[in-house]
Amino acid sequence: MGRIAVIGAGMGAMAAAARLAVAGHRVTVYERTETYGGAVRRFERDGFGFDTGPGLLTLPAVWRDLFVKTGKEPLEDRVELVQVDPSSRHFFADGTRVSLPNASRAGVVAALDEALGAAAGERWGDFLVRAREAWDRTRRPLLEEPLWPNWSVLAEREPYPAVAHKRLLRTRRASTLAEVGDWELRDPRLAALLESHALAYGLDPRVTPASAAVLPYMEHAFGVWSVRGGMRELARAVHERCVARRVEFRFGAEVTAVLEKDGRATGVELADGTVAEADFVVAGVAPGTLSRCVRGSAVRGDGEVPPRHGLPSRLTVLLALRGGRPEGTAHRTVVHAADREAELDGLFGTPSGVTDRPTVTVLRPDDPRLVPDADHEAITLTAVVPAQPDRRWAEPEVLTDLAEKLITVAERAVPDLRERLLWHEVRTPADIAEATGAEGGAVPPPALAAGEGGLLHPANTTAVPGLFTVGGWSHPGGGLPHAGMSGALVAGLIVEGPEFRGSQ
């Protein structure tokens, strides 16, 4: 078998490395930082622990499959998965509140009817039926198979079966997520619930294709999960699985060039001048980083999906509180923006930063491993912000203002927050950029069909034979489940060759 050089130790890269090692390849991972996991990091202080990347997991079957395919020890023997219930609690702009049961259509319908009025739940339930059809139509080509050479079919075809809507004497069908909310859900609170799933990935619902209906469907159908001890424990388990399969990790090893001979990738060169030969190179890095590493060749093949620009990032505020977590507290609460248009214009129009009252996700895990004792609570606040290539995020007054805005919004969900607050820490796009190498701290969304291909990602194969890409910046896009699927696709393409068509 061959030698594999993997650039980066993110989740997708490690998923590929473990699978390739089991297939008999000699795999070495080169990571420029001193740890693994990419954006899946943890911050610890005074006995408190916080996820600074993803805080919840959907589609855990992706990672279960990795552990099944790379050894006899299942995922649940390495980490403790907990299905959170309710899956989320929502505070809407008009003061309405609703808690949604996890993975229960009947429970969600009943909760919405009670909180928002009769028929609200039925409209959401009917929407989920249509969303399932979109999921069934796109699951294999978007998640389980390498990107089709004729990917434009996915770009042009809208898989969401929109309901006919009469408007201005014409019959129209929703083509964007915002239109689905306006024309099919017909309630600004249901629309906000729908759009929050897109906004969480930094997507503008006003232009995001209706196929994004699969995002709430995934949570509804497969549940929402936490990992005891934080999501960093999942990264630890994947790293340990790689090590157990004799993957070699070299930390503090920055790759500066992908070596080529006769037009084929033949290894990597490190910042210290070291050269490592390889039969295949797998790059789990952001596009700009990879482009700088490839000398004299275009990375992308002819006809490939165009690169994405202007991606948002994340702002995170970590709160250490005195006083234990109250009984019955939801793990995740979404406090919706007071002014939807102002928030969307600030993020996707002429970006100016964080509005005074943005949509904020409040995570309050019931996890004794994340607090010093039962008389304290760890809370994480997250909001979408524009990616910033400059250093303005590091200015103390900017950090203070940003944290204040998120804390003010979070007080709707945690009324006694300020009285209980011991200290807080802010994590900005600059911190994401440091961890992942992505310019401005940009965070890639998952792949979606339709929308002229604007939410597809480049194929895992490249124009350079022997060079593959893995992780959120390539097919099938960002998010923990998608990263794991990306690793499976790359491993399949290397082991089985270009005829590989995914798992059956």
Side-chain angles (χ1 to χ4, degrees):
M1 288 294 186
R3 299 161 297 177
I4 312 287
V6 179
I7 308 173
M11 297 298 285
M14 290 197 295
R19 291 176 182 271
L20 289 166
V22 168
H25 292 284
R26 299 198 308 273
V27 184
T28 303
V29 177
Y30 301 91
E31 167 59 45
R32 66 178 181 84
T33 71
E34 297 299 331
T35 190
Y36 53 84
V40 183
R41 301 290 180 94
R42 178 172 19 223
F43 176 81
E44 296 179 345
R45 175 181 162 186
D46 300 340
F48 292 88
F50 305 87
D51 286 318
T52 59
L56 290 169
L57 180 66
T58 56
L59 284 177
V62 172
W63 298 100
R64 291 188 179 116
D65 181 71
L66 172 70
F67 277 74
V68 167
K69 299 293 176 55
T70 59
K72 297 180 179 179
E73 191 177 30
L75 173 63
E76 278 81 356
D77 283 357
R78 303 305 304 154
V79 299
E80 182 181 353
L81 295 177
V82 180
Q83 191 168 19
V84 302
D85 198 20
S87 66
S88 59
R89 181 170 292 163
H90 293 262
F91 285 57
F92 297 106
D94 68 349
T96 308
R97 305 177 183 184
V98 63
S99 293
L100 302 180
N102 202 344
S104 169
R105 182 180 184 277
V108 168
V109 168
L112 289 172
D113 276 343
E114 181 178 355
L116 308 186
E122 181 180 0
R123 289 197 297 274
W124 183 260
D126 291 345
F127 158 75
L128 287 176
V129 172
R130 295 188 292 275
R132 176 177 180 173
E133 188 169 340
W135 167 261
D136 289 340
R137 291 174 177 176
T138 61
R139 175 178 56 85
R140 284 198 61 80
L142 277 178
L143 302 180
E144 298 176 357
E145 299 177 343
L147 189 65
W148 295 344
N150 61 334
W151 59 266
S152 60
V153 174
L154 287 172
E156 297 164 358
R157 182 180 301 165
E158 173 55 70
Y160 178 77
V163 177
H165 170 76
K166 289 189 178 297
R167 185 177 178 88
L168 299 178
L169 303 180
R170 291 191 302 162
T171 299
R172 301 181 61 183
R173 295 179 185 273
S175 61
T176 68
L177 204 64
E179 289 175 342
V180 172
D182 287 343
W183 301 352
E184 298 180 12
L185 298 179
R186 304 192 306 279
D187 184 309
R189 298 162 298 183
L190 290 179
L193 172 60
L194 171 64
E195 292 181 358
S196 67
H197 289 83
L199 190 61
Y201 287 104
L203 300 175
D204 184 349
R206 299 171 299 185
V207 297
T208 298
S211 64
V214 299
L215 299 177
Y217 175 77
M218 286 169 57
E219 287 197 6
H220 162 75
F222 306 108
V224 180
W225 304 74
S226 67
V227 176
R228 188 72 70 187
M231 206 58 62
R232 179 68 176 176
E233 288 299 293
L234 177 62
R236 174 196 56 76
V238 175
H239 173 254
E240 290 179 352
R241 176 52 56 93
C242 287
V243 172
R245 298 302 171 261
R246 299 184 179 179
V247 174
E248 180 182 359
F249 284 82
R250 297 188 183 178
F251 296 108
E254 181 179 3
V255 172
T256 55
V258 174
L259 304 179
E260 297 178 47
K261 184 177 181 180
D262 299 328
R264 179 181 176 83
T266 58
V268 297
E269 182 178 338
L270 306 183
D272 64 3
T274 301
V275 170
E277 296 181 349
D279 299 291
F280 298 95
V281 176
V282 176
V285 294
T289 301
L290 181 58
S291 295
R292 290 189 293 271
C293 291
V294 179
R295 298 172 177 172
S297 296
V299 179
R300 298 158 48 73
D302 292 337
E304 283 238 4
V305 177
R308 295 180 48 76
H309 300 287
L311 291 173
S313 185
R314 305 288 184 271
L315 179 71
T316 302
V317 181
L318 315 175
L319 307 173
L321 273 62
R322 64 173 63 87
R325 180 180 185 269
E327 189 73 23
T329 297
H331 187 118
R332 175 177 59 175
T333 297
V334 180
V335 183
H336 294 268
D339 188 331
R340 168 187 178 270
E341 287 298 326
E343 178 177 41
L344 297 182
D345 286 343
L347 287 171
F348 307 109
T350 304
S352 58
V354 183
T355 59
D356 287 338
R357 295 182 62 187
T359 296
V360 175
T361 298
V362 183
L363 296 184
R364 306 179 70 180
D366 182 12
D367 190 342
R369 295 172 60 181
L370 300 178
V371 291
D373 53 50
D375 293 325
H376 293 84
E377 184 179 8
I379 296 180
T380 302
L381 313 179
T382 306
V384 176
V385 297
Q388 294 288 339
D390 57 37
R391 296 182 56 81
R392 77 180 188 89
W393 294 107
E395 299 172 6
E397 61 273 17
V398 173
L399 294 180
T400 300
D401 178 62
L402 295 173
E404 181 66 23
K405 288 179 178 179
L406 267 63
I407 290 172
T408 298
V409 172
E411 284 185 285
R412 290 186 61 196
V414 192
D416 58 353
L417 192 158
R418 291 188 188 275
E419 291 75 21
R420 297 173 56 198
L421 185 61
L422 294 171
W423 50 261
H424 72 268
E425 292 276 348
V426 182
R427 288 293 176 267
T428 72
D431 297 300
I432 297 175
E434 174 61 27
T436 66
E439 184 177 1
V443 178
L448 294 171
E452 299 181 347
L455 285 167
L456 296 175
H457 293 261
N460 306 106
T461 54
T462 72
V464 181
L467 173 63
F468 298 82
T469 61
V470 71
W473 295 103
S474 58
H475 181 73
L480 277 174
H482 297 72
M485 288 182 270
S486 179
L489 292 175
V490 169
L493 287 166
I494 291 176
V495 173
E496 299 187 25
E499 69 279 3
F500 174 70
R501 288 297 177 265
S503 58
Q504 300 296 323

